[in-house]
């Protein structure tokens, strides 16, 4: 049996665990098991389904202190963040359980126009393909709503962080888990019995998943990457704590977050002041080291390939015609050995133009460019440049001014005076525009992604005693006539 073996990215000679590879035939079997389970699971009431989900959430919560070190060891995420991610996943599941009964309830109108019932019906089997950077919460964002709505699920986690999420999925009802790389993902997304696909990940993988689903005319939710700008208006007023929060908005999880602050736009007249405060904040809060060590706030990146890619971006920004200046940030934890794993020194890069790859591309790592601007119109155009439009932020002492600019940014989610996870809300739908994907997670919209409306309707004209309607009549009182045959028309009613 082929195995996926996961090493600790902070100590690459340590094997954390392994999972078996699921070949296409086994993917087929898993989907068919999920399809067989669908009638019974969808036949339960919403109340019965959320009760089962709540029990699953309680099981995960009870295992938090056991699962958090596993997540830290397989992903390189600091232990405190690992606890936070699993705890937030539990919070989200419980929120789904609270909200689902009302959101998924049927609606009925019975009035002079007739009787209309709209029910929320599940799709069937949902295929979920999830990434490694926040493996638990990004899986649960799909599992919770899909299961509450009555779907069964086949989940394929990333081979770079498969262990903790498999344990979490095992606590939930009506979930099958498969493992593998691109071949496994394509087999799942393109399976004829999968009725909806949910994916979070990079652009290249997203295109493959969308193509496989599209070949079967299977609808999808795609949350892809972002090159998220943070725009500081001339009146911004940041405290030391605000700067600390801003630093972590870029460097949490080693910068490997789709909605991290990836481009910092600051008025030219305030760039020196901003830089000084930002460097000081980074020195206070950015501590690089082994994720299991107390006080560490940034661990390694996920793999040797990721480390090499990020270092090449930074080297390119500092060399040749780019002319950038690279300033290392933060400090190392006592006794930290960078050679023990896939560690990349976090840095702030200045002096680049918008065409430099570090600016124009999503870095997905611990390097962020600081860019000066002169006018609001200019910064708006620069922030909106490019094909990605996931998130953005606007920082200003004037909330109305911030909201006005936010409304003109090409992003699916705009934070005000914060960025990244500190700006999220369970009630706020999240997702991108342009090439950053489609569909939404969180909020009412995130629940409704996993149901289809199913309508039963009788117009008043066809209820007992109703007057009826002519065969060619339009609804709503429009009675344009349709010829019965050439040269004849129906008489008006």
């Amino acid at each position: 049996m082929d195995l996926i073996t996961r090493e600790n990215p902070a100590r690459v000679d340590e094997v954390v665990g392994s999972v078996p590879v699921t070949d296409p035939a086994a993917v087929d079997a898993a989907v068919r098991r999920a399809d067989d389970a669908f009638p019974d699971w969808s036949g339960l009431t919403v109340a019965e389904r959320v009760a089962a989900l709540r029990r699953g959430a309680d099981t995960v919560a009870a295992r938090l202190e056991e699962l958090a070190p596993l997540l830290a060891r397989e992903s390189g995420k600091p232990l405190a963040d690992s606890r936070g991610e699993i705890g937030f996943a539990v919070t989200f599941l419980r929120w789904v359980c609270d909200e689902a009964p009302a959101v998924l309830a049927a609606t009925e109108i019975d009035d002079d126009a007739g009787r209309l019932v709209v029910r929320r019906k599940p799709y069937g089997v949902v295929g979920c393909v999830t990434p490694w950077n926040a493996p638990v919460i990004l899986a649960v964002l799909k599992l919770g709503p899909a299961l509450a709505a009555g779907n069964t699920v086949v989940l394929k986690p990333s081979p770079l962080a498969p262990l903790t999420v498999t344990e979490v999925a095992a606590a939930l009802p009506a979930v099958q888990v498969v493992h593998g790389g691109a071949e496994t993902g394509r087999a799942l997304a393109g399976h004829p019995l999968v009725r909806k696909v949910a994916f979070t990940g990079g652009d290249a993988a997203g295109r493959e998943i969308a193509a496989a689903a599209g070949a079967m005319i299977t609808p999808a939710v795609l949350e892809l990457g972002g090159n998220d700008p943070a725009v500081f208006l001339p009146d911004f007023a940041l405290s030391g704590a605000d700067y600390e929060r801003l630093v972590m908005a870029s460097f949490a999880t080693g910068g490997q977050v789709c909605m991290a602050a990836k481009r910092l736009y600051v008025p030219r007249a305030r760039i020196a002041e901003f830089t000084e405060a930002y460097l000081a904040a980074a020195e206070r809060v950015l501590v690089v080291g082994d994720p299991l060590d107390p006080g560490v706030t940034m661990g390694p990146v996920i793999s040797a390939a990721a480390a090499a890619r990020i270092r090449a971006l930074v080297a390119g920004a500092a060399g040749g015609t780019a002319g950038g200046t690279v300033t290392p940030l933060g400090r190392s934890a006592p006794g930290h050995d960078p050679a023990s794993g896939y560690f990349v020194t976090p840095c702030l890069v200045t002096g680049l133009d918008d065409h430099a790859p570090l600016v124009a591309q999503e870095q997905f790592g611990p390097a962020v460019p600081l860019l000066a601007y002169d006018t609001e119109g200019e910064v708006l155009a620069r922030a909106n440049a490019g094909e990605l439009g996931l998130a953005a932020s606007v920082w200003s002492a004037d909330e109305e001014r911030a909201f006005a600019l936010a409304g003109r940014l090409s992003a699916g989610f705009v934070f005000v005076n914060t960025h990244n996870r500190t700006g999220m809300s369970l009630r706020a739908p999240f997702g991108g525009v342009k090439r950053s994907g489609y569909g939404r997670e969180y909020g009412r919209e995130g629940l409704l992604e996993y149901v289809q409306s199913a309508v039963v309707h009788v117009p008043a004209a066809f209820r007992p005693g109703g007057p009826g309607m002519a065969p060619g009549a339009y609804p709503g009182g429009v009675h344009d006539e349709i010829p019965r045959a050439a040269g004849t028309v129906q008489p008006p009613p």
Side-chain angles (χ1 to χ4, degrees), residues 129-131 133-134 138 141-142 197-203 206 220-226 228 257-259 262 362 364 390-391 424 430-433 435-442:
V129 180
T130 56
N133 59 329
L138 292 176
L141 285 175
K142 299 157 184 59
V197 170
F199 172 82
T200 298
D203 174 76
V221 177
L222 299 179
E223 198 264 89
L224 306 178
D228 303 2
V257 179
C258 59
M259 60 181 177
K262 298 187 176 79
E362 181 183 20
F364 218 71
L390 187 59
M424 300 295 290
F430 183 87
V433 300
R435 302 294 184 196
S436 287
Y438 43 80
R440 293 295 181 262
E441 295 183 319
Y442 294 100

Side-chain angles (χ1 to χ4, degrees), residues 406-483:
R408 300 169 67 194
L409 287 170
S410 297
F413 198 111
V414 182
F415 308 99
V416 171
N417 290 330
T418 193
H419 200 120
N420 209 331
R421 66 187 182 216
T422 56
M424 300 295 290
S425 170
L426 292 171
R427 69 180 185 177
F430 183 87
V433 300
K434 300 193 291 189
R435 302 294 184 196
S436 287
Y438 43 80
R440 293 295 181 262
E441 295 183 319
Y442 294 100
R444 177 184 178 90
E445 290 84 349
L447 276 163
L448 293 177
E449 288 286 356
Y450 296 95
V451 289
Q452 301 176 92
S453 59
V455 170
V456 181
H457 180 231
V458 57
F462 302 109
R463 304 187 80 176
M469 294 172 68
Y474 284 89
V478 179
H479 298 292
D480 288 23
E481 295 150 352
I482 300 174

Side-chain angles (χ1 to χ4, degrees), residues 119-203:
R119 293 186 175 88
R120 310 290 190 185
K121 293 207 170 181
Y123 283 87
V125 179
V126 174
C128 299
V129 180
T130 56
W132 48 263
N133 59 329
V136 174
I137 185 57
L138 292 176
V140 164
L141 285 175
K142 299 157 184 59
L143 296 174
L147 294 169
N151 304 280
T152 54
V153 176
V154 180
L155 169 69
K156 191 204 85 66
S158 167
L160 293 174
L163 305 174
T164 313
V165 68
T166 298
E167 295 292 320
V168 170
L172 303 179
V175 180
Q176 307 280 325
V177 180
V178 298
H179 291 288
E183 181 184 36
T184 306
R186 286 192 297 268
L188 178 58
H191 197 287
L193 291 178
V194 168
R195 305 302 183 189
K196 184 142 193 181
V197 170
F199 172 82
T200 298
D203 174 76

Side-chain angles (χ1 to χ4, degrees), residues 21-31 33 178:
V21 174
T22 311
D23 63 25
V27 172
D28 174 68
V31 173
R33 288 194 299 272
V178 298

Side-chain angles (χ1 to χ4, degrees), residues 71-409:
L71 179 58
R73 290 171 62 222
E74 70 170 324
S75 70
K77 190 187 297 283
L79 183 57
D81 283 355
S82 297
R83 288 193 187 101
E85 179 179 335
I86 296 168
F88 182 57
V90 170
T91 297
F92 178 77
L93 284 172
R94 290 170 174 164
W95 180 86
V96 167
C97 292
D98 291 341
E99 297 294 319
V103 174
L104 302 177
T107 58
E108 182 169 353
I109 301 171
D110 192 341
D111 58 16
D112 290 344
R115 185 179 178 189
L116 171 66
V117 177
V118 181
R119 293 186 175 88
R120 310 290 190 185
K121 293 207 170 181
Y123 283 87
V125 179
V126 174
C128 299
V129 180
T130 56
W132 48 263
N133 59 329
V136 174
I137 185 57
L138 292 176
V140 164
L141 285 175
K142 299 157 184 59
L143 296 174
L147 294 169
N151 304 280
T152 54
V153 176
V154 180
L155 169 69
K156 191 204 85 66
S158 167
L160 293 174
L163 305 174
T164 313
V165 68
T166 298
E167 295 292 320
V168 170
L172 303 179
V175 180
Q176 307 280 325
V177 180
V178 298
H179 291 288
E183 181 184 36
T184 306
R186 286 192 297 268
L188 178 58
H191 197 287
L193 291 178
V194 168
R195 305 302 183 189
K196 184 142 193 181
V197 170
F199 172 82
T200 298
D203 174 76
R207 290 174 187 271
E208 287 199 33
I209 293 295
M216 301 304 299
I217 320 179
T218 303
V221 177
L222 299 179
E223 198 264 89
L224 306 178
N227 192 12
D228 303 2
V231 178
F232 297 83
L233 291 177
D235 66 345
F236 75 86
L238 273 63
S239 67
D242 292 329
Y243 276 104
E244 292 172 5
R245 186 159 33 87
L246 173 61
V247 168
M248 295 312 298
S250 290
F251 294 100
T253 317
Q256 302 165 117
V257 179
C258 59
M259 60 181 177
K262 298 187 176 79
R263 295 177 284 158
L264 310 180
Y265 289 97
V266 176
R268 194 175 306 277
R270 300 191 64 184
I271 200 88
E273 164 202 347
F274 180 97
T275 303
E276 181 182 4
Y278 189 92
L279 295 178
E283 185 69 18
R284 293 192 298 272
V285 301
L286 200 52
V287 182
V288 181
D290 190 298
L292 295 178
D293 289 348
V296 165
T297 59
M298 194 189 105
V301 296
I302 194 65
S303 67
R309 179 187 58 80
I310 296 158
R311 291 187 185 116
L313 270 176
V314 173
T321 60
T325 299
V326 177
T327 303
L329 296 175
R331 52 199 163 89
S332 291
H336 168 55
D337 176 12
S340 64
Y342 307 130
F343 289 94
V344 176
T345 302
C347 62
L348 183 71
V349 184
T350 55
L352 298 178
D353 65 31
D354 288 359
H355 300 293
L358 188 69
V359 180
Q361 300 174 13
E362 181 183 20
Q363 315 96 17
F364 218 71
V368 64
L370 174 60
L371 306 154
Y373 75 89
D374 295 301
T375 69
E376 188 170 313
E378 170 207 338
V379 76
L380 178 66
R382 292 168 66 189
N384 284 342
E387 287 298 300
L388 300 178
L390 187 59
S393 62
V394 181
W395 304 67
S396 173
D398 182 340
E399 186 174 290
E400 292 304 316
R401 185 179 181 184
F403 268 71
L405 181 63
R408 300 169 67 194
L409 287 170

